[in-house]
Amino acid sequence: MPLNLRIPGPMPLPPDVLEATGRPMINHRGPEFADILDRMTRNMKTMLETSGDVYFMTSSGTGAMETAVVNVLSPGDAVLSVSIGVFGDRFGDIAEIYGADVTRYKTELGDAADPGDVSEALAAMPHCKAVLVTHNDTSTAVQNDIAALSEIIRNESNALILVDAVSSAGGSPLAMDAWGLDMVATASQKAWMAGPGIGIIAVSKRAWAAYETSTMPKFYFDIAQYEKFLEISQPPFTPALSTIYGLDLALQQLADEGIENVIARHAERAEQTRRGVQRIGLELLSDASVASDTVTAIKVPEGVDAKAVVTAMRDEFNVEISGGQGALTGKIWRIGHMGWCEPEHIDECIDALEKVLAQTR
Ligand code: PMP
């Protein structure tokens, strides 16, 4: 029996997607790859609800975040980093390492960003060039209201909006154009039902205008290279073909299923997980109003060894969940329910958690 991998990415792959990743190699500068790239680009634009540009890089999600930063910013630019967890901190760190002047707004772990606070922070930064914000911080399983935040940022400043949607896009509502987002970063191994290895960046017209004056160093992640090659339906560099085979098929399936259905399916699975966790007497880290559609964080009860529970679930029940990261290590467990996740995957996971907890008490 394959492992019921319920960490928040990578996720198990549907059998046909997994099989696709084993296909023979092809020439990435030939006609077959051109068809794949054109189809993936079209489908990804549909899923992100954008008429902007979309590029696929062979990298993890962090590479896509770095792409967002280095293509529109210059050293010394004032940037507001809105962080609700580990991945928000990382976005700010990337900007800082490339020389941006980063102001950090951080919430308590388990909270979402408050639009009023962001408005206040922006008011104190008249020359803010960009706001960096995580849609769904996988470390706390909290989802920001990007529509509300972007409305405020757009109304009250000229700042670009760069969004880490690594663990939300393809699972949660995300309307890039309607919400006025400028760079949206995501990655193949999350809700997209594919393996790890492809970072995805979506780019608005405003972001392209900022590209013209951006002086941060870039080569591999320079979006102009991706654009130049996309015009001849090629990637600038050798892509992770095996992952792309899977991602192409998965994206087509998601586009056929329809965005609304994909989102509704994720919302159902998230609700099933939260109800299941509460049914076995455990507490969620966050309020349901900010809870993620793609991952759920559960408080570890007093006196329980979080790591021992993860190990026992894996060894005895063939289900693997994640612990907490950073300050939440030992304090929470996280269950991933993005991408290919059937109701029985969740039932089996909650069941295993309940049985292991009963053994430890
Ligand atoms: N941002 C978020 C919200 C994530 O969940 C992750 C991965 N867990 C990343 C960024 C980084 O992605 P990767 O590990 O693919 O670089």
Side-chain angles (χ1 to χ4, degrees):
M1 253 248 301
L3 175 70
N4 183 1
L5 187 62
R6 299 263 62 90
I7 65 171
M11 311 305 300
L13 304 185
D16 52 354
V17 172
L18 184 60
E19 200 182 315
T21 63
R23 285 201 338 241
M25 294 299 105
I26 55 172
N27 178 4
H28 60 289
R29 310 221 171 272
E32 199 182 337
F33 188 82
D35 286 347
I36 292 174
L37 186 58
D38 291 346
R39 186 168 49 239
M40 288 206 309
T41 306
R42 195 170 56 243
N43 284 333
M44 186 55 87
K45 285 185 187 188
T46 304
M47 295 304 293
L48 296 177
E49 301 187 41
T50 185
S51 59
D53 295 303
V54 165
Y55 307 112
F56 297 87
M57 289 101 43
T58 291
S59 80
S60 75
T62 305
M65 292 160 75
E66 190 158 328
T67 304
V69 168
V70 300
N71 281 281
V72 295
L73 296 175
S74 302
D77 276 350
V79 166
L80 176 62
S81 157
V82 175
S83 176
I84 62 169
V86 166
F87 295 102
D89 291 351
R90 183 180 298 181
F91 217 177
D93 292 346
I94 295 171
E96 205 162 80
I97 227 155
Y98 278 99
D101 178 9
V102 179
T103 298
R104 295 183 189 250
Y105 158 76
K106 273 184 82 143
T107 63
E108 294 288 317
L109 293 178
D111 289 349
D114 177 59
D117 289 348
V118 171
S119 165
E120 221 171 276
L122 270 179
M125 296 176 68
H127 302 296
C128 183
K129 176 85 193 207
V131 177
L132 314 180
V133 60
T134 321
H135 190 184
N136 182 81
D137 207 300
T138 323
S139 66
T140 55
V142 169
Q143 205 154 306
N144 272 324
D145 184 346
I146 295 290
L149 291 171
S150 62
E151 193 178 337
I152 283 194
I153 298 164
R154 282 292 206 139
N155 286 343
E156 300 181 6
S157 78
N158 287 320
L160 296 163
I161 307 174
L162 313 189
V163 180
D164 167 358
V166 169
S167 66
S168 60
S172 297
L174 194 159
M176 179 167 173
D177 291 2
W179 295 356
L181 312 181
D182 294 297
M183 286 283 216
V184 173
T186 182
S188 52
Q189 81 274 21
K190 300 287 189 182
W192 302 111
M193 303 197 304
I198 301 295
I200 299 129
I201 191 79
V203 183
S204 77
K205 283 203 172 66
R206 281 204 326 160
W208 271 118
Y211 175 89
E212 294 305 321
T213 56
S214 157
T215 60
M216 278 188 183
K218 47 196 162 277
F219 184 85
Y220 187 78
F221 291 129
D222 185 339
I223 55 173
Q225 303 220 53
Y226 289 82
E227 175 55 30
K228 191 174 97 193
F229 277 89
L230 189 62
E231 283 163 15
I232 51 166
S233 301
Q234 287 186 20
F237 314 111
T238 314
L241 281 172
S242 306
T243 298
I244 282 185
Y245 292 150
L247 180 60
D248 176 35
L249 178 60
L251 268 177
Q252 188 59 55
Q253 290 175 355
L254 293 172
D256 291 346
E257 184 179 353
I259 307 170
E260 270 112 58
N261 295 328
V262 171
I263 286 166
R265 174 164 58 73
H266 278 85
E268 266 170 37
R269 225 58 91 230
E271 183 59 30
Q272 181 195 351
T273 309
R274 291 191 290 266
R275 264 191 281 111
V277 162
Q278 288 169 317
R279 183 176 46 75
I280 64 170
L282 295 173
E283 230 185 293
L284 302 170
L285 176 66
S286 318
D287 191 73
S289 62
V290 296
S292 161
D293 296 316
T294 54
V295 54
T296 292
I298 306 152
K299 285 185 187 165
V300 175
E302 208 57 45
V304 171
D305 179 345
K307 207 168 164 195
V309 169
V310 171
T311 305
M313 284 178 74
R314 190 184 54 224
D315 293 352
E316 295 170 36
F317 295 93
N318 202 34
V319 179
E320 184 154 359
I321 63 171
S322 283
Q325 291 170 284
L328 290 172
T329 303
K331 301 208 168 101
I332 59 166
W333 293 297
R334 293 171 302 148
I335 298 176
H337 35 79
M338 62 190 98
W340 182 52
C341 180
E342 303 289 353
E344 46 278 21
H345 288 140
I346 296 301
D347 287 342
E348 194 183 281
C349 178
I350 305 283
D351 197 44
L353 180 55
E354 184 177 27
K355 288 187 173 132
V356 167
L357 280 174
Q359 288 170 12
T360 61
R361 275 171 173 161

